[in-house]
Amino acid sequence: MRLVLAAVGRLKAGPERELASRYRDRAAQLGRGLGFPFCDSVEIPESRARRAPDRCVEEAAALATHLPAGGVLVAYDERGRADLASEAMAERVAAWRDAARPALVVVIGGPDGLDASIRTRAELILSFGAATLPHGLVRVLALEQLYRSLTILAGHPYHRGEAG
């Protein structure tokens, strides 16, 4: 199963880009032995449409090109679930892999959010809580959560759960 983070916008050079790269690289390295041979991060250019709804539609179309037939779409959206424990996420990731789904594509919208077409296609919609966070930080956190899921599946001590 391929792991892909597709996010609208470009991370500038700096701490967020460095952290995002670090977690993507860690996930790629650990994932190979767990049935996740590929982990990548894709940046979708922000739409230049004049109206916000039109921007969301254009960005959704670009995000959708990264979801292969039968792939799993997970979206980060302010209206998503904020109560999914890391262990539960890891279980879902393993179940999707074991069901021979070709890819897990995690999407993050642009400044105007995600179009309804993405939210309705998503098998899981997550949020990092009620606070509004910068997109670069959301990208880092999403990649960290992918990496954390893999460490849980590998029995790696990175995730120590309630006892840690």
Side-chain angles (χ1 to χ4, degrees):
M1 169 181 254
R2 294 175 48 233
L3 299 174
V4 177
L5 175 83
V8 174
R10 183 158 168 68
L11 280 181
K12 295 177 185 168
E16 290 94 353
R17 180 171 281 291
E18 292 170 18
L19 272 174
S21 293
R22 182 182 307 165
Y23 283 116
R24 182 188 44 83
D25 292 348
R26 286 179 179 179
Q29 184 177 11
L30 183 60
R32 283 190 280 277
L34 297 170
F36 303 94
F38 179 82
C39 183
D40 199 13
S41 188
V42 178
E43 294 181 330
I44 305 295
E46 286 184 37
S47 168
R48 295 188 179 271
R50 297 182 83 185
R51 298 179 45 237
D54 297 335
R55 288 190 295 270
C56 288
V57 167
E58 286 181 13
E59 292 165 356
L63 289 166
T65 65
H66 295 282
L67 181 67
V72 177
L73 178 64
V74 173
Y76 277 94
D77 184 84
E78 64 186 6
R79 293 161 282 204
R81 290 182 62 174
D83 65 343
L84 188 65
S86 296
E87 294 87 352
M89 181 63 183
E91 289 172 11
R92 285 183 182 223
V93 169
W96 291 324
R97 176 202 58 200
D98 296 347
R101 304 289 293 270
L104 168 58
V105 180
V106 177
V107 298
I108 300 168
D112 299 307
L114 288 170
D115 185 64
S117 65
I118 292 289
R119 289 193 309 273
T120 58
R121 285 180 71 181
E123 293 188 37
L124 181 61
I125 302 174
L126 298 171
S127 169
F128 288 116
T132 301
L133 300 173
H135 281 74
L137 186 55
V138 171
R139 195 176 310 187
V140 169
L141 292 171
L143 285 164
E144 190 281 337
Q145 286 299 290
L146 277 176
Y147 174 65
R148 183 173 298 273
S149 291
L150 298 177
T151 64
I152 290 168
L153 296 177
H156 190 281
Y158 177 79
H159 180 75
R160 292 186 179 93
E162 297 282 329

